[in-house]
Amino acid sequence: MIYNVAQLMKAQVGNTYSSAIHEEQVQLDSDLNVIGPIDGHVRMRRVNQGLLVDGWVDLTLGLTCTRCLKEFEQLMHVTFEERFYPTVDVVTGAPLPPIEEDDVFSIDEHHQVDLTEAIRQAVLLAVPMVTLCKEDCAGLCSQCGHDLNLGPCNCEPEGESQFNILKDLLPISQIQNNTPHE
């Protein structure tokens, strides 16, 4: 996802370049399992300091359900918007002073923009914290580990509450006698 932006950097502020994105076999991150191609659209606009780049990508991620631990595929539509700053002057080739901001994206010395990192960050932010294979996933039995989506297991039901042990401390008749009367 590399674009040469030398001509756009020479253009006046306000000029725009748009392009379709289609990338086969992209590895964005070791934690992101991208299945199939990434398709989308990018728009680059010349601004005073560099480029304002925005767009969207459609991709399929291989994820693990946090309830039942099954692998599943999730279609995602992810938007992104970032600023890219030049490292060298496009006309003279002279190095430019670094930008005093954290987490800036740069246009390299060959006047190329690599969208991979910007898209990787946008995808990481778009992945839900709890990934579910289906909305009503029943998960695994906490006693035997049986997948409850396949049906119930043969385990004895756990106690209703973690406070059930308190019942053994006082007999029910004593609890009923100590209740305040109205």
Side-chain angles (χ1 to χ4, degrees):
M1 291 180 269
I2 298 174
Y3 295 87
N4 187 314
V5 293
Q7 293 303 317
L8 186 56
M9 290 301 295
K10 290 178 186 176
Q12 292 180 351
V13 170
N15 280 351
T16 301
Y17 169 76
S18 293
S19 177
I21 297 174
H22 178 80
E23 294 287 329
E24 301 280 339
Q25 300 180 357
V26 174
Q27 183 61 39
L28 294 176
D29 191 286
S30 60
D31 294 335
L32 292 174
N33 179 18
V34 179
I35 299 171
I38 293 179
D39 290 305
H41 184 78
V42 63
R43 176 178 59 175
M44 301 179 196
R45 289 175 280 179
R46 180 72 167 96
V47 294
N48 284 335
Q49 299 84 13
L51 296 175
L52 179 61
V53 178
D54 65 347
W56 54 268
V57 291
D58 289 330
L59 68 155
T60 303
L61 290 180
L63 300 171
T64 303
C65 180
T66 54
R67 287 187 187 160
C68 69
L69 304 178
K70 283 186 181 177
E71 300 288 325
F72 69 100
E73 294 182 3
Q74 176 74 47
L75 298 173
M76 298 190 71
H77 178 82
V78 179
T79 60
F80 60 93
E81 181 178 313
E82 297 292 342
R83 286 184 172 256
F84 284 77
Y85 299 97
T87 55
V88 297
D89 185 274
V90 71
V91 177
T92 65
L96 296 172
I99 302 298
E100 299 295 326
E101 295 180 28
D102 292 335
D103 300 327
V104 297
F105 292 98
S106 61
I107 302 169
D108 72 12
E109 64 275 0
H110 303 292
H111 313 296
Q112 293 180 334
V113 167
D114 187 354
L115 299 179
T116 307
E117 179 61 17
I119 291 173
R120 182 191 75 84
Q121 289 181 16
V123 170
L124 281 172
L125 289 173
V127 173
M129 290 178 68
V130 177
T131 54
L132 298 177
C133 60
K134 57 185 180 179
E135 195 67 33
D136 60 343
C137 177
L140 302 175
C141 172
S142 62
Q143 294 177 22
C144 69
H146 174 73
D147 185 353
L148 298 174
N149 293 312
L150 303 175
C153 62
N154 296 326
C155 294
E156 291 293 322
E158 289 183 346
E160 296 173 12
S161 169
Q162 60 192 5
F163 299 108
N164 282 346
I165 196 159
L166 297 176
K167 289 180 185 177
D168 298 334
L169 295 177
L170 291 175
I172 295 292
S173 60
Q174 195 174 11
I175 295 173
Q176 292 171 346
N177 292 336
N178 290 335
T179 57
H181 297 291
E182 295 183 35

